[in-house]
Amino acid sequence: LFRSLYTGKTKIGGGGFGTVFECKTNLAEPQTVVLKESDFPNSIYRRCPLFDIFTEITCLEHFRLDPAIADLYDYGVTESSYIIVMKKYASSLRDWRLKQKGALNDNLPTYLSIYKDILRAVAKLHANSITHYDLKCDNVFLEFKNSSNSSKWNDSDIRVILGDFGVCKMFLNEENEFCMRDRGTEVIKSPEMLALNKMKNSEADHYDRRRKVIRSEERRVGK
């Protein structure tokens, strides 16, 4: 029944947590949506994605209708996978940036405005005790108030949306904000996360990824 609601599936991406498709709703007025599908593990040795799916849905539900966070339309279970359905946005920040022409300075005000909106959205996550561990241009989406292809934009022409919460995590409070599992895309991971990836489980149990910052602060104040 769930699959019958969506037609014309076309694969547009994928990773360790599932496959992403573009498809249309099977309604009187079809709408293009993005469908993220995570298969059930086919053996006891494969990691079950249920916890990450549940966390992603919880985060998106928490920010439902928030203009800075991707819209969640639907979610469910088929005979072989977990499904999340989200809004299809006009472009990712990466794709949009690759299409821009001219020197950096020509578009710098627009780039800085987008960056400011990204920081505001991330601050909103942190204020709600949520950390997004895979922030990159592929996971930042853009909506446009007009269809112009010009490289000259007004700040009000572009809306910035954060998406792909597959490796996010929710916390009770700041003190609880520790992630002892390697998360995110390797080329953009922090040095602390890369170090955690190399550690043995026995070492990771006692690893505080903020300890260098804490020790530096202690030295600064003479403790």
Side-chain angles (χ1 to χ4, degrees):
L1 176 62
F2 193 90
R3 292 185 186 278
S4 67
L5 298 174
Y6 306 97
T7 60
K9 284 173 56 176
T10 302
K11 182 178 177 180
I12 58 174
F17 293 92
T19 306
V20 181
F21 300 92
E22 180 180 308
C23 55
K24 291 187 179 296
T25 56
N26 191 16
L27 302 172
E29 297 183 5
Q31 179 180 352
T32 301
V33 297
V34 170
L35 188 151
K36 182 176 180 180
E37 186 171 341
S38 297
D39 293 337
F40 297 160
N42 55 16
S43 80
I44 61 173
Y45 301 105
R46 284 194 59 192
R47 183 175 176 276
C48 179
L50 180 58
F51 177 80
D52 296 300
I53 292 289
F54 178 81
T55 303
E56 181 170 12
I57 291 171
T58 303
C59 290
L60 294 176
E61 283 281 16
H62 182 77
F63 288 104
R64 183 176 284 277
L65 302 181
D66 189 302
I69 308 298
D71 285 343
L72 175 67
Y73 285 166
D74 197 6
Y75 48 90
V77 180
T78 70
E79 66 280 358
S80 60
S81 60
Y82 305 105
I83 304 289
I84 299 177
V85 183
M86 293 164 286
K87 181 176 179 177
K88 174 70 169 64
Y89 291 97
S91 176
S92 70
L93 177 57
R94 179 179 181 274
D95 290 342
W96 177 82
R97 178 66 181 88
L98 290 173
K99 294 176 182 177
Q100 302 310 298
K101 303 183 183 300
L104 174 65
N105 287 341
D106 295 338
N107 302 316
L108 188 58
T110 298
Y111 298 156
L112 291 176
S113 176
I114 290 174
Y115 182 54
K116 177 182 66 177
D117 288 343
I118 292 172
L119 293 179
R120 285 175 173 171
V122 172
K124 185 179 296 187
L125 296 183
H126 293 173
N128 286 268
S129 300
I130 295 173
T131 299
H132 192 308
Y133 285 101
D134 201 20
L135 284 172
K136 57 184 179 181
C137 291
D138 287 308
N139 293 337
V140 176
F141 304 111
L142 304 178
E143 287 275 81
F144 308 102
K145 289 189 177 180
N146 61 65
S147 58
S148 171
N149 291 320
S150 170
S151 60
K152 303 295 184 182
W153 299 88
N154 294 320
D155 292 354
S156 59
D157 288 337
I158 302 175
R159 180 164 66 93
V160 174
I161 305 101
L162 297 186
D164 196 349
F165 284 71
V167 289
C168 69
K169 189 173 180 183
M170 304 184 74
F171 301 94
L172 294 175
N173 50 53
E174 184 178 353
E175 292 302 316
N176 183 244
E177 196 270 321
F178 290 98
C179 179
M180 304 315 302
R181 199 186 87 206
D182 180 38
R183 295 170 181 263
T185 303
E186 187 171 25
V187 294
I188 62 168
K189 287 178 183 176
S190 66
E192 294 84 359
M193 192 63 76
L194 291 171
L196 178 60
N197 186 36
K198 295 179 180 180
M199 299 180 77
K200 296 179 181 178
N201 290 334
S202 58
E203 296 176 294
D205 288 341
H206 306 286
Y207 178 66
D208 181 347
R209 58 185 172 79
R210 298 183 298 181
R211 64 183 177 181
K212 291 183 180 179
V213 177
I214 294 171
R215 288 176 180 174
S216 296
E217 182 64 16
E218 288 177 346
R219 287 195 295 270
R220 187 182 69 81
V221 298
K223 290 184 178 180

